[in-house]
Amino acid sequence: MTIAWTYLLHAYYRQQKVDYRYFDRTPKRRRFHRTKHGAIRCWELLRCLNFSKCPLDRDTRNNLRFLIGLRDEIEHQMTLNLDNWLSGRYQACAINYNKYVKQIFGSKYGLDQHLTYSLQFIELSRDQVAGVMTEEDVPRRLRAYIAEFDESLTEEEYNSPQYAIRLLFTRKEANRKGQADSVFEFIDPNSEAARELDKQYWFKKEVERPKYLRKDVLDIVHKEGFKIFGPFQHTRLWRKMDAKNPGKGFGTEVRGTWYWYDRWIDEVRKHCEGNVHLDTDVKK
């Protein structure tokens, strides 16, 4: 996908008459940078994304920057099960690509006319889905990278479907005979069927251990009066305490997103109470 996006943006810049080759200016002419075997070096994907006239929206660029950083962390090492862990971001990347191919070059180049949906070779039973991935299957350096990148985003950016596709599935138990079946059926979120699904989902959530995103943790301590404790202080504290070590029981990772437990909120509260008089420490 990195190569595909690079070629797409090269084609777009060529269309816009933007020179995407690396060169140095000399008094008489441009001197192009070349590879070992003489090919002219062109912009890599990150340089294409950072160009001021990049046609991609903010959330699509965030998705690609995440995947570029992930690639750099992995390099050529095998990391088992990572695809299951981050499938929502891969799916968003593919859908974004199809959108921009059609938007820039025309609908006849769309991939959806050939690939309507993907086939997944995991039956979506409760036990199998629960066993697809555990935090321990992903190396700590990658978990740290994912957490750091996600924390750099706003809530709106993080929840964007252009950054990651997140769907809630429930099995459809009955259908009328004689009709063709579709794998996916979309319903109006304001319909009675959707409200019933919400009830089922939140009933399940209520019996689980409460989980909080970083924003939730900050909202709680801010309401308690510790308004100076922000994202930077939060990151510094969890790193100092190695709080994302699963063995410490402060939180858990679910599908690439870190959630904190009540125990962590207690630690944050204790830290704020112990440092409320130390302005230099709190404001750093």
Side-chain angles (χ1 to χ4, degrees):
M1 288 308 298
T2 299
I3 294 171
W5 275 105
T6 303
Y7 287 172
L8 183 152
L9 289 174
H10 283 181
Y12 171 78
Y13 290 140
R14 178 178 294 184
Q15 186 184 77
Q16 301 299 311
K17 302 189 184 307
V18 173
D19 195 342
Y20 51 87
R21 298 171 294 180
Y22 281 106
F23 60 85
D24 296 319
R25 292 192 179 277
T26 64
K28 294 185 178 180
R29 61 177 182 173
R30 293 176 293 180
R31 186 183 302 277
F32 293 102
H33 297 191
R34 296 184 180 272
T35 66
K36 178 181 178 181
H37 298 288
I40 294 177
R41 289 190 60 229
C42 297
W43 292 353
E44 69 281 5
L45 181 55
L46 190 58
R47 177 68 180 84
C48 291
L49 297 177
N50 292 337
F51 184 55
S52 60
K53 296 182 180 179
C54 178
L56 309 185
D57 64 83
R58 176 200 64 191
D59 299 319
T60 297
R61 296 198 305 272
N62 282 337
N63 173 270
L64 288 171
R65 288 189 178 109
F66 171 82
L67 294 177
I68 291 169
L70 182 70
R71 177 202 61 189
D72 293 344
E73 284 292 329
I74 296 172
E75 294 179 340
H76 299 293
Q77 303 174 34
M78 180 180 290
T79 304
L80 298 176
N81 294 326
L82 189 63
D83 288 352
N84 294 330
W85 188 255
L86 296 172
S87 59
R89 307 186 194 203
Y90 301 159
Q91 185 71 53
C93 180
I95 292 175
N96 293 342
Y97 184 83
N98 188 52
K99 167 190 170 182
Y100 278 102
V101 163
K102 294 192 293 184
Q103 182 174 306
I104 294 173
F105 301 107
S107 58
K108 67 178 181 178
Y109 294 103
L111 304 179
D112 48 344
Q113 60 181 312
H114 306 294
L115 298 170
T116 305
Y117 58 86
S118 63
L119 295 178
Q120 184 167 327
F121 294 96
I122 299 176
E123 183 183 352
L124 296 179
S125 68
R126 180 185 299 272
D127 293 339
Q128 285 175 312
V129 170
V132 165
M133 194 67 191
T134 62
E135 298 165 14
E136 290 74 14
D137 291 327
V138 176
R140 182 176 298 180
R141 72 182 190 283
L142 291 183
R143 296 204 304 268
Y145 165 73
I146 294 168
E148 185 174 354
F149 192 97
D150 285 351
E151 288 191 1
S152 71
L153 304 177
T154 65
E155 288 298 305
E156 181 184 4
E157 290 171 334
Y158 176 76
N159 288 316
S160 168
Q162 281 73 48
Y163 179 61
I165 296 291
R166 302 176 181 93
L167 300 174
L168 176 65
F169 287 98
T170 183
R171 186 185 296 275
K172 187 174 182 180
E173 300 294 347
N175 201 359
R176 288 191 312 181
K177 294 180 179 180
Q179 288 187 327
D181 289 323
S182 173
V183 176
F184 300 108
E185 180 179 344
F186 292 94
I187 60 176
D188 187 335
N190 297 317
S191 68
E192 185 60 36
R195 285 193 287 271
E196 186 61 32
L197 285 177
D198 280 343
K199 290 178 185 177
Q200 296 172 21
Y201 177 66
W202 286 110
F203 176 78
K204 179 178 182 297
K205 291 283 285 185
E206 286 171 2
V207 300
E208 294 178 347
R209 192 173 177 181
K211 301 179 182 67
Y212 306 91
L213 292 169
R214 180 192 67 176
K215 178 181 180 298
D216 301 324
V217 175
L218 296 179
D219 285 345
I220 290 171
V221 296
H222 288 173
K223 289 177 181 177
E224 295 178 2
F226 305 107
K227 298 186 181 297
I228 300 179
F229 188 85
F232 175 79
Q233 289 79 13
H234 184 266
T235 300
R236 188 175 64 168
L237 180 61
W238 74 251
R239 285 178 176 170
K240 179 181 178 182
M241 298 183 64
D242 191 24
K244 289 191 176 180
N245 182 339
K248 297 200 172 184
F250 289 124
T252 187
E253 202 160 18
V254 180
R255 297 291 181 183
T257 300
W258 185 268
Y259 291 88
W260 298 103
Y261 293 142
D262 285 316
R263 279 193 60 209
W264 176 246
I265 296 177
D266 292 338
E267 288 295 327
V268 172
R269 187 180 290 116
K270 187 189 304 180
H271 169 82
C272 291
E273 291 172 348
N275 291 281
V276 68
H277 62 291
L278 301 176
D279 289 342
T280 55
D281 182 62
V282 175
K283 292 179 181 178
K284 282 182 182 178

